Amino acid sequence: MRVGVLTGGGDCPGLNAVIRAIVRKGVQEYGYEFTGFRDGWRGPLEGIAVPLGIPAVRGILPRGGTILGSSRTNPFMADNGVRRIKENLEKYEIDALIAIGGEDTLGVAARMVEEHGIPCVGVPKTIDNDLSATDYTFGFDTAVGIATEAIDRLHTTAESHMRVLVVEVMGRHAGWIALHSGLAGGANVILIPEQRFDLDQVCAWVHSRFKATYAPIVVVAEGAMPKDGDMVLKDGTTDSYGHVRLSGVGEWLAKEIERRTGKEARTTVLGHVQRGGTPSAFDRWLATRFGLHAIDAVRDGDWGQMVALRGTDIVRVPIAEATARLKTVDPALYAEVGVFFG
């Protein structure tokens, strides 16, 4: 059997660990051969591929990013996209395809199986941790660690100058990174997309913090929205899946806080630094286990399934189930951390 592997969507710490595990077990246990498709779904769409054997995956476990490259290519938006993919899979003699990605990459994989009969298995990847069928996705732990370290560092400079520091983190429409890093980093305000925020309340928390002679840290997820207003964006551009480019709420929030409170406020937008660098030990562990179980699903011919973490077990769930809805922060969980606000 020859198996194709692709990594799509935003890059993420742990992708190389998945590739390594798939290839190592597939070659050593089952005698499979592998082809890596470049740049997500663009690879099978345009026939861009590289051989993928054990020598190619040596030493990549601790590396961030992906040796196969990634993109947000949507083959259903391309002319004759499905036909071209089928032709290229036949050209490279591919018997099965493992798609490693988030809701968009896996959503394409689900349609490829259900509508076009292409044998695919999915592996969940996103720093946003917003796939509903798995307890955690790899990349999330690393992103939280990076954001937490940044918040720790910002506390000292905020207090030295007695200014408000607003930290904008990623997460799109889920507040998991903001919630985890904000709590771990001792933030005084955490704003998430699931709960529209009251700007007057935010300013009251800021005033309360200064009264205690401390400088406040405000962590805001890029998709957070004010109660009386719309999502704040730098521009309205969208990708091939129709997703708008997020970011901008941090700068807007800092200006509003400064205008309303008279306190100096600065913004730090962590942006893509959250995606980069060496994956954490947990993300290496989880990504490796996902890879091992994904190649087992290929062996079993369990097409249309995605590997997922449930407790400490790796299970299989339909890809369609995993991409049907976002996993967002429960209001009760957000309410728990409210004791630290202000």
Side-chain angles (χ1 to χ4, degrees), residues 64-83:
T66 164
I67 62 169
L68 295 178
S70 191
S71 74
R72 298 189 185 277
T73 301
N74 184 351
F76 292 109
M77 297 295 290
D79 291 336
N80 301 310
V82 174
R83 178 182 60 78

Side-chain angles (χ1 to χ4, degrees), residues 252-267:
W252 175 85
L253 184 60
K255 290 177 182 177
E256 284 296 312
I257 290 173
E258 187 166 303
R259 183 176 69 83
R260 292 176 179 232
T261 66
K263 302 293 185 180
E264 183 183 7
R266 300 288 181 87
T267 306

